[in-house]
Amino acid sequence: MIPSTDHSATRHPGFHTFRSASRDLLLEVATGRIMYVEPSILQAIENAAITGNIQQAALMASLAGIRTTNEPETAPPKAVSVRSFSLAIAQKCNLGCTYCYAEQGTFGGRPDNMPPEIARSSVDRLFMDTQPDEPITIAFMGGEPFFNRQALYETTTYAAKKAEEEGRTVSFSITTNATLIRSEDVEFLQKYRFTVTVSVDGIGDTNDTLRPYISGKGSFTQVQEKLKLLFGIPNRNFRVLGRVTVTPQNLGLTETFQGLLDLGFDSVQFSPMLKSPSGKQEMSGKDFDSLLEQLISCGEIFRTGFMEKKLMPLQNVLSTLKRIHTYEREMYPCGAGGGYMGVSAEGELYACHRFVNDEAGHMGDLKTGVNPVKQAQWLQDRHLGAQSACTDCWARYLCSGSCHHEVIKRGRPACDYIRGWLHYCLGLYVDLYEADSTGLRLLLGDNQEIIAISEEQNGAGLQF
């Protein structure tokens, strides 16, 4: 197995050394180019870095054909068209997850449902502020969205009808704890082809410890029963994703991954708890080492499946391989504050669903729209080029600065974990590419002609 931590000695902003199962490699940070190098050259680079001789390391990298100069960053945009809203349609929840960023859905306020007129206004605002050819996405979140079932149904129907009348494209998603789902809800999700994300933190007692009802009773048995409704509908046309919040209490990722796949989930995503309102269940120190080791074990399950022509749908791997493959030098980790906004039950706009009722992410309201001054300032402040901690990091274009909410609220305790995961995935990407480049490209949604792998004459070896 590839090492579970980032053992590369190089911390140069222009390149990164790593190894696949059989090769010594360099990543050219400016372009995303991956090149094979002679083992002796790679060792010389790492030896120079260990002794602190960064200039010597850069010189040796140049002999391998790597450019170590930084290219100018793309300037932050002044404004971005908002194409996606997440509606906090029910700011209340029946579970008592102690780490919940939404504080049991209330976001620090009183339990509340989004009025139907606010939900419709959200739809109208999206249609008003986007071009006819721009697709629109509406996400329903909470709290628990099914607490406000009527508004959920009415808003979806309203948006779908409006899109049909105007020749627009609209898609829907929902994040739920699944405990309140009824058979008619499943038919509704099927009719409008929702993407469904179910929050679940493990199998059996593991989930119950972290996601009990407010009464203290475990929720997993109920979740399991409701999943049967979701997975049992004939000719299901919607995806069901499992999202696991990882805390120090549920670090057995391999068991959780396999357990969720056995339940029928189409994909699984692990997300570490970095910031909770109470400070409870936050990851720190050795927790990240355990997380990385476990996530890499899941990555090896993915590797085995790929070699056997079987997809093991681990979203952490798929999304990271996609970033390595496309390497688009993204200046933001997500669309928060740009093309994506969260809407509170009162109709206020925030940078994303995690900033609801938080002045740090306030972006305007449905009546007047996005405040252009606030958005421009956000895009400038959150731009990768403005993150001083990222300037000298080799992983900056693959990480893009990490979650805005977590960085603002807690800082960057997970950087070494993130680098370790990216280090592993670089090696995994090369191994999978060499094993079946066509299959990997198809898996990552790339239907273009396969780029030829050619011999370099400067001793660098193969190059992607």
Side-chain angles (χ1 to χ4, degrees), residues 169-284:
T169 300
V170 61
S171 57
F172 304 99
S173 68
I174 189 168
T175 298
T176 173
N177 63 35
T179 61
L180 300 180
I181 290 176
R182 303 171 181 168
S183 56
E184 60 265 33
D185 298 328
V186 179
E187 295 173 2
F188 167 76
L189 298 172
Q190 175 92 334
K191 179 178 180 179
Y192 292 102
R193 303 178 68 92
F194 269 71
T195 296
V196 181
T197 298
V198 175
S199 297
V200 56
D201 290 349
I203 304 300
D205 291 343
T206 301
N207 180 79
D208 289 345
T209 298
L210 294 165
R211 302 183 62 81
Y213 284 102
I214 293 175
S215 66
K217 179 183 176 181
S219 63
F220 185 76
T221 299
Q222 182 75 351
V223 171
Q224 197 171 21
E225 289 302 311
K226 298 300 184 178
L227 288 175
K228 292 177 182 178
L229 291 177
L230 284 173
F231 299 139
I233 187 170
N235 303 313
R236 177 165 60 93
N237 62 11
F238 59 89
R239 299 184 71 220
V240 184
L241 317 177
R243 185 191 185 279
V244 181
T245 298
V246 183
T247 76
Q249 290 190 262
N250 62 331
L251 283 165
L253 269 56
T254 53
E255 294 84 357
T256 296
F257 180 43
Q258 191 59 60
L260 294 182
L261 293 184
D262 291 343
L263 286 175
F265 280 96
D266 298 310
S267 183
V268 176
Q269 169 83 39
F270 293 105
S271 299
M273 170 48 62
L274 297 185
K275 177 57 185 175
S276 68
S278 65
K280 295 180 180 179
Q281 306 297 345
E282 292 179 348
M283 300 283 287
S284 61

Side-chain angles (χ1 to χ4, degrees), residues 10-263:
T10 56
R11 291 284 182 170
H12 193 282
F15 63 90
H16 178 66
T17 62
F18 67 100
R19 291 170 173 83
S20 68
S22 60
R23 302 278 188 170
D24 297 293
L25 303 118
L26 276 173
L27 168 71
E28 185 176 79
V29 172
T31 64
R33 192 171 54 145
I34 295 173
M35 301 178 67
Y36 299 133
V37 298
E38 293 294 332
S40 59
I41 296 178
L42 190 90
Q43 193 62 58
I45 293 170
E46 294 185 346
N47 289 341
I50 288 172
T51 60
N53 194 339
I54 301 301
Q55 288 184 334
Q56 177 68 15
L59 175 61
M60 296 304 296
S62 69
L63 294 178
I66 292 289
R67 290 180 294 159
T68 58
T69 55
N70 291 333
E71 296 183 3
E73 309 286 14
T74 304
K78 299 296 183 183
V80 175
S81 175
V82 181
R83 299 181 297 277
S84 178
F85 275 164
S86 67
L87 310 187
I89 199 163
Q91 290 185 193
K92 50 183 158 180
C93 190
N94 57 340
L95 298 189
C97 311
T98 57
Y99 61 75
C100 180
Y101 72 86
E103 300 178 72
Q104 284 70 61
T106 66
F107 295 92
R110 61 181 178 82
D112 197 9
N113 276 339
M114 178 179 284
E117 58 270 22
I118 294 293
R120 285 194 301 273
S121 294
S122 300
V123 175
D124 292 338
R125 173 56 64 181
L126 268 182
F127 276 77
M128 184 188 313
D129 291 349
T130 52
Q131 297 300 315
D133 60 345
E134 290 182 306
I136 290 171
T137 301
I138 300 173
F140 296 96
M141 303 186 74
E144 172 47 50
F146 283 105
F147 262 123
N148 197 1
R149 184 175 279 103
Q150 181 176 349
L152 168 63
Y153 277 43
E154 291 178 357
T155 305
T156 302
T157 303
Y158 177 71
K161 182 179 179 181
K162 191 176 182 70
E164 183 178 9
E165 292 172 348
E166 299 185 15
R168 305 286 299 272
T169 300
V170 61
S171 57
F172 304 99
S173 68
I174 189 168
T175 298
T176 173
N177 63 35
T179 61
L180 300 180
I181 290 176
R182 303 171 181 168
S183 56
E184 60 265 33
D185 298 328
V186 179
E187 295 173 2
F188 167 76
L189 298 172
Q190 175 92 334
K191 179 178 180 179
Y192 292 102
R193 303 178 68 92
F194 269 71
T195 296
V196 181
T197 298
V198 175
S199 297
V200 56
D201 290 349
I203 304 300
D205 291 343
T206 301
N207 180 79
D208 289 345
T209 298
L210 294 165
R211 302 183 62 81
Y213 284 102
I214 293 175
S215 66
K217 179 183 176 181
S219 63
F220 185 76
T221 299
Q222 182 75 351
V223 171
Q224 197 171 21
E225 289 302 311
K226 298 300 184 178
L227 288 175
K228 292 177 182 178
L229 291 177
L230 284 173
F231 299 139
I233 187 170
N235 303 313
R236 177 165 60 93
N237 62 11
F238 59 89
R239 299 184 71 220
V240 184
L241 317 177
R243 185 191 185 279
V244 181
T245 298
V246 183
T247 76
Q249 290 190 262
N250 62 331
L251 283 165
L253 269 56
T254 53
E255 294 84 357
T256 296
F257 180 43
Q258 191 59 60
L260 294 182
L261 293 184
D262 291 343
L263 286 175

Side-chain angles (χ1 to χ4, degrees), residues 331-437:
M331 297 295 108
Y332 302 94
C334 64
Y340 166 65
M341 298 275 179
V343 186
S344 72
E346 295 78 24
E348 297 295 311
L349 300 179
Y350 295 88
C352 78
H353 57 282
R354 297 193 69 172
F355 282 100
V356 167
N357 288 354
D358 186 338
E359 189 60 32
H362 187 253
M363 289 287 171
D365 56 62
L366 290 175
K367 185 175 181 179
T368 60
V370 175
N371 184 314
V373 175
K374 286 188 173 183
Q375 188 186 47
Q377 189 64 56
W378 173 274
L379 294 171
Q380 178 177 314
D381 292 345
R382 306 314 311 160
H383 186 266
L384 181 62
Q387 307 306 307
S388 59
C390 304
T391 304
D392 294 330
C393 179
W394 66 264
R396 58 191 180 277
Y397 297 132
L398 294 172
C399 169
S400 302
S402 197
C403 169
H404 301 307
H405 184 271
E406 290 166 354
V407 169
I408 290 172
K409 300 300 181 180
R410 194 180 172 197
R412 302 180 184 278
C415 285
D416 284 340
Y417 152 72
I418 293 170
R419 280 189 288 262
W421 174 244
L422 293 172
H423 179 79
Y424 164 76
C425 285
L426 282 166
L428 177 63
Y429 174 81
V430 173
D431 289 340
L432 300 188
Y433 189 98
E434 290 185 325
D436 183 0
S437 60

